[in-house]
Amino acid sequence: MAMTMASTATGVLAFSSVPKNSDPPPSSSSKVCRSSIVAVSCVSHCVCSATSGSTSTVTEQANSQKFIYSRASPSVRWPNLKLNENYPPSQRPTHVVEDVGLFENTHDSVGKEEIREIGEAGLELGEEPLEILGKTSKNRVKKMTKLALKRAKDWRERVQFLTDRILGLKSEEFVADVLDAREVQMTPTDFCFVVKWVGQSSWQRSLEVYEWLNLRHWYSPNARMLATILSVLGKANQEALAVEIFARAEPAAGNTVQVYNAMMGVYARTGRFGKVQELLDLMRSRGCEPDLVSFNTLINARLKSGALVPNLGIELLNEVRRSGIQPDIITYNTLISACSRDSNLEEAVKVYDDMVAHRCQPDLWTYNAMISVYGRCGISREAGRLFKELESKGFLPDAVTYNSLLYAFAREGNVEKVKDICEDMAKMGFGKDEMTYNTIIHMYGKRGQHDRVLQLYNDMKMSGRSPDAVTYTVLIDSLGKANMMKEAAEVMSEMLNAGVKPTLRTFSALICGYAKAGKRVEAEKTFNCMLRAGIKPDHLAYSVMLDILLRFSDSGKAMKLYQEMVLNSFKPDHALYEVMLRVLKKENKEEDIHRVVKDMEELCSMNAQVICSILVKGECFDHAANMLRLAISQGSELDRENLLSILGSYGSSGRLSEARELLDFLREHSSGSHQLIKESLIIMLCKADQLDDALREYSEARDFGLFCGSFTMYESLLQRCEENELFAEASQIFSDMRFYGVEPSNNLYQGMVRTYSKMGFPETAHYLIEQAEEKGLLFDDASIYTNVIEAYGRLKLWQKAESLVGSLRQKSKMVDRKVWNALIHAYAASGCYERARAIFNTIMRDGPSPTVDSINGLMQALIVDGRLDELYVVIQELQDMGFRISKSSIMLMLDAFARAGNIFEVKKIYNGMKAAGYFPTMHLYRIMIGLLAKGKRVRDVEAMVSEMETAGFKPDLSIWNSMLKLYTGIGDFKKTAQVYRLIQEAGLKPDEDTYNTLILMYCRDRRPEEGLSLMHEMRRVGLEPKLDTYKSLISAFGKLLLLEQAEELFEGLLSKECKLDRSFYHLMMKMYRNSGNHSKAEKLLGAMKEAGVEPTIATMHLLMVSYGGSGQPEEAEKVLDNLKVEGLSLSTLPYSSVIDAYLKNGDYNIAIQKLMEMKKDGLELDHRIWTCFVRAASLSQRTSEAIVLLKALQDTGFSLPIRLLTEKSHSLVSEVDKCLEKLGPLEDNAAFNFVNALEDLLWAFELRATASWVFQLAVKRSIYCHDVFRVAEKDWGADFRKMSAGAALVGLTLWLDHMQDASLQGYPLSPKSVVLITGTAEYNMVSLNITIKAFLWEMGSPFLPCKTRTGLLVAKAHSLRMWLKDSSFCLDLELKDSPSLPELNSMQLMEGCFIRRGLVPAFKDTNERLGNVRPKKFARLALLPDEKRDKVIRADIEGGKEKLEKMKKKVGVKRRKLVRRKLSRGVVLPRPAELLYQKKKS
């Protein structure tokens, strides 16, 4: 608010108005909207054109458009009083609200000319009293004569006449032409008024009048004229001219208080408090005592020179009083106006209270200023109270009062109150003036009602009010904030067209708008245009331009602008420094960063701690670390946030060593910050994902009791533990946190609820939820509750899940659907279908509606409860209710039936799903192929893979692994190898399942060496084989008696400290047993005990079997005796081991003796003993020996075997069937082993018909597979694996008989080739493969060994049918019993082959001399007598040798001919490299 100077020459105070800068102050947050470049160019051009003229032109133009407050006249200020005056209304501006709320820091509710110029009004009353300056006026006005009154009226006409003539002069005309004419008679006082009135329009003409009067010496020099011209020059901001005139003034005129006051007013206008103080001191030194006007001017200058400091107003008042002068209403109003301008309510209240305390009555100006300061501070209630108070005190509110009150409520956005005030103004005769419109426009602009803003703007122009710079600035700022930059540019154009010069604030508002819209080019053009217009940027303009350049990463221009800004004494704020440093760091401009840091130190005088904080926020962490060291060295306290940010940067970039160096420095130089340093280290390690190190540091600190920890540290540790699923550690840290009294946040509570739920402690998680709710922390995320409910479900604690949902229902009207679904799944986990269905019905009734997840939960409940058949019923019910069964529900059903192994239902669901339009997914194909592979449905699997590839899916590794397991399981090793090649061709990386399956395949194919090499490859790629894989390899090596390799694998497992179970030790014992290394078996038993694996009866059984296999039954008996001594409860197993050892050794009598001892010991004989004796009888040389063994069994109560040999077998069918029925459920394959031994016995002693029906009973009882041979299924294949030799020969004969019938009848048709699977394993040291080959070779069958797989015999179907029809061996395939038992066993065990006794010499001779021969050739040789067979074999050998020699000769001749041909033609075969060169050349 401008303060005026006062004069007390004649008892009347005179004040000269000090105009305030018309530019609005910067807006703290001017935002910009969008606009076109064309609009910007147009506006820029207009602005530049409008501001390119001379200074005088600009000033005159500004004056012509200057906002004039027309209510300075009392008749206008108070229209309701209907006052009439005899003098023209004043043209001086009064109260201008430049801000209207937009620029709150400089809003002034007191007008520029509101300070009343009482002195000047007094000058107008007459000449004479005013010519004598310096005299004290009296309080009463003297009564004037008629002549004096007439003269007082005439002077106005004279002054106005000359003023009009002078102002009417053209630029090339002079003032002297008017004054020299002397058209009217003027007094010196009249000339003073001429200088003043002319100066109101043109200070240049006013100065010309003053200089002309000095040149002509038409009046004696007086202080009044000097004071008047100084006041005119001061108002025109012509300080230099004023100083020159004051300096050359004559002492008589210049050394008066009025002149000094006028000169101080010139300096006060620009806030040059120092100069005013100097003049005051000069004034006193010359003996001229300052008056109240002098002190008021001094106060005004001080208030303009800088911001108010606390208690400044009271100090200034006290200074006035110390000079012996009492402050008056002008003094107080000046101070309160300054407080209003700075929105300093506290200081304004102090001054007002002092005013009341010193009995200085407030006037209207005082109330206006106080209403303004309350409004600016947002206390509209107090502003309204003062408004009512001033009315109660008899003051009439004027336009300033109403506008100040209007601003107070507009600032709060109280639209209704603003409307009421406007209505009151209208009732009082006040229309909306420019200030009113500005205030209301800004209010609606802040509310975002931009249509209303434009409407008010148009109303303002329609009502005859001229928008000023404030109006346009408010409009541009409001539109910019609304991103309406096109409209903002149009307003700028209108402003220029109206002749209103844009101010700094106008340009700033437009620049801010463009900056907000990201229009860098337009912002730069506007900024450059402002510079060309001669307007210097302020802090806001520089900051906005710098910010937008930095946002566009134009660091070059930004740094130039920054340097210009600094040179103009403007300092960027901290936020701007942060943005600048961030951009410079991003572009690695280290020199510029150093320069900025230096400026912060030297120009901004920031301490190291503040600079460190700015560097941290600017992401210049290395510089921040150095500055932090400097700050600590200077004694500053360690700032927690800065340290954490720096360490976080080091941690995320992996620079842990530098971080530790910094921490070591801080630990050394900041003695009181050890706890903070430790915490910071832990937080940094967490951010660097070094959780193990962080936990170690935390554990050390906790163990030593160094600190209790901060929330940030616990939060970092807990978050990292949760991310890394270290739930136990998270639980411990959370417990520590609670123990030390650190309160968790909402997020930490939620994280720990999730953690405890995943740990399987839903009760703890539930407790945390209740605890958080007691503290007022509510979880908006429904997943928190679902996690707990799901955890309850996994533990089958559905009752507690029920209680949690019940509490949620009490707290909320509507429970989240996810919570209901989680409860349904919790019931489903326990198979509680009925409860799940009840919840389903509840949400169907009350909402929210069920989802697919709800339906799946119902189905899962049935699946868990094993009620798969009811799934179809539930599906039908849901469909009747209008639900569409989703693909996921169908997949759930399919997966359930797949896990149950129900291939039929799975295929039915699969086909139904495809029929319903649901296309199979990759997951579905995995399930289907996996199930079919487990069921060994080879053709279905291959068809599914083909269908999958047709649908565009490529088999993944999981599917290939299923196929590998399938082919390995059925023994089709050739296809297994093909699948592995396909995996490699597809570029898939084999996993553990792949390698383990392939190794198993090699083991089963009796190729363990290749399996071992594959295991080495598996380890090289970082995969570890399963223990079962090791077991398969050891077993395979053991079967091939490759003891070294097996032992190496076993020792390797022991060296790795693998926890091996008994099966490994048993496997090794079996291997030692088969190889006869009983000593190693004994050592292995000791090693087993040392490894902590206690031997069982089965273990000792294996050891005894090992002794028995090596022909040392006595040692086996010693083991048995030891077991008896130990007092163990023995079963028949160890006894059977000893008995079997004696039987295999041929010590039948001892075996029978042991049998009797066993009976005496009270043990009841079981299937093991029966099987041992029956098997020994089947291998005995003579029938008598067999009878003795079987009678021993008969004596112990089991007579069935001997009765089968000696009685009619048909009468024993039912007994055999009952026996097999009893043996079926027993362990150790009791029925299977007994039937195999019985079949060997019956076949050996030629009771083959009996063997046939026993075989069929075994098939009936599922002891043997139903598909042993599959002629009826059009497969014609057979599989005799795991059968004993006798059982296999019985089955083979029956199979040949079936195929013969089919060949003769022509149905069922045979495939192209017939496969017989014998396997490669041995059963009781008998090789089934060799036994069957010998039998078929003797018959001259067309079966030949498979070339690709061992254990397979293959025959072409046509050859097989012809052989079955025509061969003499096949004339009678019926199995018959011999009329009497033979004296000798018809079969003999020879080198693992159970062969006909009469065939042994021929078989032995042929194999030893000729090796493997074709079946027909073997059959011919076997039928020949020994002598003829010998001759044939010798002839065959000789013929083979001759044939070999002929072939060698033939090959040599061919080679010689080839060499000759090459030499004769002179051709030299080129090397591959030469071929390649010739090809390129051609």
Side-chain angles (χ1 to χ4, degrees), residues 1218-1239:
K1218 289 179 181 179
C1219 179
L1220 297 182
E1221 183 180 2
K1222 291 180 181 179
L1223 295 177
L1226 299 181
E1227 59 183 4
D1228 296 336
N1229 292 323
F1232 182 78
N1233 292 329
F1234 179 72
V1235 170
N1236 275 341
L1238 202 59
E1239 288 290 311

Short mmCIF file of all heavy atoms in Angstrom, two decimals, residues 1218-1239:
data_model
loop_
_atom_site.label_atom_id
_atom_site.label_comp_id
_atom_site.label_asym_id
_atom_site.label_seq_id
_atom_site.Cartn_x
_atom_site.Cartn_y
_atom_site.Cartn_z
N LYS A 1218 -8.63 -123.46 -3.39
CA LYS A 1218 -8.73 -122.91 -2.03
C LYS A 1218 -7.37 -122.50 -1.50
O LYS A 1218 -7.22 -121.47 -0.82
CB LYS A 1218 -9.36 -123.94 -1.10
CG LYS A 1218 -10.85 -124.17 -1.36
CD LYS A 1218 -11.39 -125.22 -0.40
CE LYS A 1218 -12.88 -125.49 -0.67
NZ LYS A 1218 -13.42 -126.54 0.24
N CYS A 1219 -6.37 -123.32 -1.81
CA CYS A 1219 -5.01 -122.98 -1.35
C CYS A 1219 -4.54 -121.67 -1.96
O CYS A 1219 -3.98 -120.81 -1.28
CB CYS A 1219 -4.07 -124.12 -1.71
SG CYS A 1219 -2.35 -123.80 -1.21
N LEU A 1220 -4.78 -121.52 -3.26
CA LEU A 1220 -4.38 -120.27 -3.93
C LEU A 1220 -5.16 -119.08 -3.39
O LEU A 1220 -4.64 -117.96 -3.29
CB LEU A 1220 -4.57 -120.40 -5.44
CG LEU A 1220 -3.72 -121.46 -6.14
CD1 LEU A 1220 -3.98 -121.45 -7.64
CD2 LEU A 1220 -2.23 -121.21 -5.88
N GLU A 1221 -6.42 -119.32 -3.03
CA GLU A 1221 -7.24 -118.23 -2.49
C GLU A 1221 -6.68 -117.75 -1.16
O GLU A 1221 -6.66 -116.56 -0.87
CB GLU A 1221 -8.67 -118.73 -2.31
CG GLU A 1221 -9.63 -117.64 -1.83
CD GLU A 1221 -11.03 -118.16 -1.66
OE1 GLU A 1221 -11.25 -119.38 -1.87
OE2 GLU A 1221 -11.92 -117.37 -1.31
N LYS A 1222 -6.19 -118.72 -0.33
CA LYS A 1222 -5.60 -118.35 0.96
C LYS A 1222 -4.28 -117.61 0.78
O LYS A 1222 -3.95 -116.68 1.52
CB LYS A 1222 -5.38 -119.59 1.81
CG LYS A 1222 -6.68 -120.23 2.30
CD LYS A 1222 -6.37 -121.47 3.13
CE LYS A 1222 -7.65 -122.14 3.61
NZ LYS A 1222 -7.37 -123.37 4.41
N LEU A 1223 -3.50 -118.05 -0.21
CA LEU A 1223 -2.18 -117.44 -0.40
C LEU A 1223 -2.25 -116.08 -1.08
O LEU A 1223 -1.30 -115.29 -0.99
CB LEU A 1223 -1.30 -118.37 -1.23
CG LEU A 1223 -0.93 -119.71 -0.58
CD1 LEU A 1223 -0.13 -120.56 -1.55
CD2 LEU A 1223 -0.14 -119.49 0.69
N GLY A 1224 -3.33 -115.80 -1.75
CA GLY A 1224 -3.44 -114.56 -2.53
C GLY A 1224 -3.16 -113.30 -1.75
O GLY A 1224 -2.36 -112.46 -2.16
N PRO A 1225 -3.78 -113.08 -0.57
CA PRO A 1225 -3.57 -111.82 0.15
C PRO A 1225 -2.24 -111.71 0.87
O PRO A 1225 -1.89 -110.64 1.37
CB PRO A 1225 -4.72 -111.81 1.18
CG PRO A 1225 -5.64 -112.92 0.79
CD PRO A 1225 -4.82 -113.91 0.05
N LEU A 1226 -1.48 -112.81 0.98
CA LEU A 1226 -0.26 -112.78 1.78
C LEU A 1226 0.84 -111.99 1.09
O LEU A 1226 0.85 -111.81 -0.13
CB LEU A 1226 0.20 -114.21 2.05
CG LEU A 1226 -0.78 -115.10 2.83
CD1 LEU A 1226 -0.20 -116.48 3.05
CD2 LEU A 1226 -1.16 -114.46 4.16
N GLU A 1227 1.80 -111.54 1.92
CA GLU A 1227 2.89 -110.71 1.41
C GLU A 1227 3.94 -111.58 0.72
O GLU A 1227 3.84 -112.80 0.69
CB GLU A 1227 3.52 -109.93 2.56
CG GLU A 1227 4.07 -110.81 3.66
CD GLU A 1227 4.63 -110.03 4.82
OE1 GLU A 1227 4.53 -108.79 4.83
OE2 GLU A 1227 5.19 -110.67 5.73
N ASP A 1228 4.95 -110.90 0.18
CA ASP A 1228 6.08 -111.55 -0.49
C ASP A 1228 5.65 -112.36 -1.70
O ASP A 1228 6.31 -113.35 -2.05
CB ASP A 1228 6.85 -112.47 0.49
CG ASP A 1228 7.49 -111.68 1.61
OD1 ASP A 1228 7.72 -110.46 1.42
OD2 ASP A 1228 7.71 -112.25 2.69
N ASN A 1229 4.55 -111.98 -2.37
CA ASN A 1229 4.09 -112.71 -3.57
C ASN A 1229 3.96 -114.20 -3.28
O ASN A 1229 4.44 -115.06 -4.05
CB ASN A 1229 5.05 -112.49 -4.75
CG ASN A 1229 5.02 -111.05 -5.24
OD1 ASN A 1229 3.96 -110.42 -5.25
ND2 ASN A 1229 6.16 -110.54 -5.62
N ALA A 1230 3.32 -114.50 -2.18
CA ALA A 1230 3.25 -115.89 -1.73
C ALA A 1230 2.62 -116.79 -2.78
O ALA A 1230 3.16 -117.86 -3.14
CB ALA A 1230 2.46 -115.95 -0.42
N ALA A 1231 1.45 -116.42 -3.28
CA ALA A 1231 0.74 -117.25 -4.26
C ALA A 1231 1.55 -117.38 -5.54
O ALA A 1231 1.64 -118.47 -6.14
CB ALA A 1231 -0.63 -116.65 -4.54
N PHE A 1232 2.14 -116.28 -5.99
CA PHE A 1232 2.90 -116.29 -7.24
C PHE A 1232 4.10 -117.24 -7.15
O PHE A 1232 4.34 -118.07 -8.05
CB PHE A 1232 3.36 -114.86 -7.54
CG PHE A 1232 4.10 -114.70 -8.83
CD1 PHE A 1232 3.44 -114.66 -10.04
CD2 PHE A 1232 5.49 -114.59 -8.84
CE1 PHE A 1232 4.13 -114.51 -11.24
CE2 PHE A 1232 6.19 -114.45 -10.01
CZ PHE A 1232 5.51 -114.40 -11.22
N ASN A 1233 4.87 -117.12 -6.07
CA ASN A 1233 6.05 -117.98 -5.92
C ASN A 1233 5.66 -119.46 -5.79
O ASN A 1233 6.32 -120.33 -6.34
CB ASN A 1233 6.87 -117.55 -4.70
CG ASN A 1233 7.52 -116.19 -4.91
OD1 ASN A 1233 7.86 -115.83 -6.03
ND2 ASN A 1233 7.68 -115.43 -3.83
N PHE A 1234 4.58 -119.72 -5.04
CA PHE A 1234 4.16 -121.11 -4.85
C PHE A 1234 3.68 -121.71 -6.16
O PHE A 1234 4.04 -122.86 -6.51
CB PHE A 1234 3.04 -121.16 -3.80
CG PHE A 1234 2.52 -122.53 -3.55
CD1 PHE A 1234 3.28 -123.48 -2.87
CD2 PHE A 1234 1.27 -122.92 -4.04
CE1 PHE A 1234 2.79 -124.77 -2.66
CE2 PHE A 1234 0.78 -124.20 -3.84
CZ PHE A 1234 1.54 -125.13 -3.14
N VAL A 1235 2.89 -120.97 -6.95
CA VAL A 1235 2.41 -121.49 -8.23
C VAL A 1235 3.57 -121.72 -9.18
O VAL A 1235 3.62 -122.73 -9.91
CB VAL A 1235 1.37 -120.53 -8.84
CG1 VAL A 1235 1.03 -120.94 -10.27
CG2 VAL A 1235 0.11 -120.52 -8.00
N ASN A 1236 4.53 -120.80 -9.21
CA ASN A 1236 5.69 -120.99 -10.08
C ASN A 1236 6.44 -122.28 -9.73
O ASN A 1236 6.83 -123.06 -10.61
CB ASN A 1236 6.64 -119.79 -9.96
CG ASN A 1236 6.24 -118.65 -10.87
OD1 ASN A 1236 5.50 -118.83 -11.84
ND2 ASN A 1236 6.73 -117.45 -10.56
N ALA A 1237 6.66 -122.50 -8.43
CA ALA A 1237 7.35 -123.73 -8.00
C ALA A 1237 6.53 -124.97 -8.36
O ALA A 1237 7.07 -126.00 -8.82
CB ALA A 1237 7.63 -123.67 -6.51
N LEU A 1238 5.22 -124.90 -8.15
CA LEU A 1238 4.34 -126.02 -8.47
C LEU A 1238 4.33 -126.33 -9.95
O LEU A 1238 4.37 -127.51 -10.37
CB LEU A 1238 2.92 -125.70 -7.97
CG LEU A 1238 1.99 -126.89 -7.71
CD1 LEU A 1238 2.59 -127.83 -6.68
CD2 LEU A 1238 0.63 -126.38 -7.25
N GLU A 1239 4.34 -125.28 -10.78
CA GLU A 1239 4.37 -125.47 -12.24
C GLU A 1239 5.67 -126.14 -12.66
O GLU A 1239 5.70 -127.03 -13.54
CB GLU A 1239 4.20 -124.12 -12.94
CG GLU A 1239 2.82 -123.52 -12.86
CD GLU A 1239 1.80 -124.27 -13.69
OE1 GLU A 1239 2.07 -124.56 -14.86
OE2 GLU A 1239 0.73 -124.61 -13.15
#
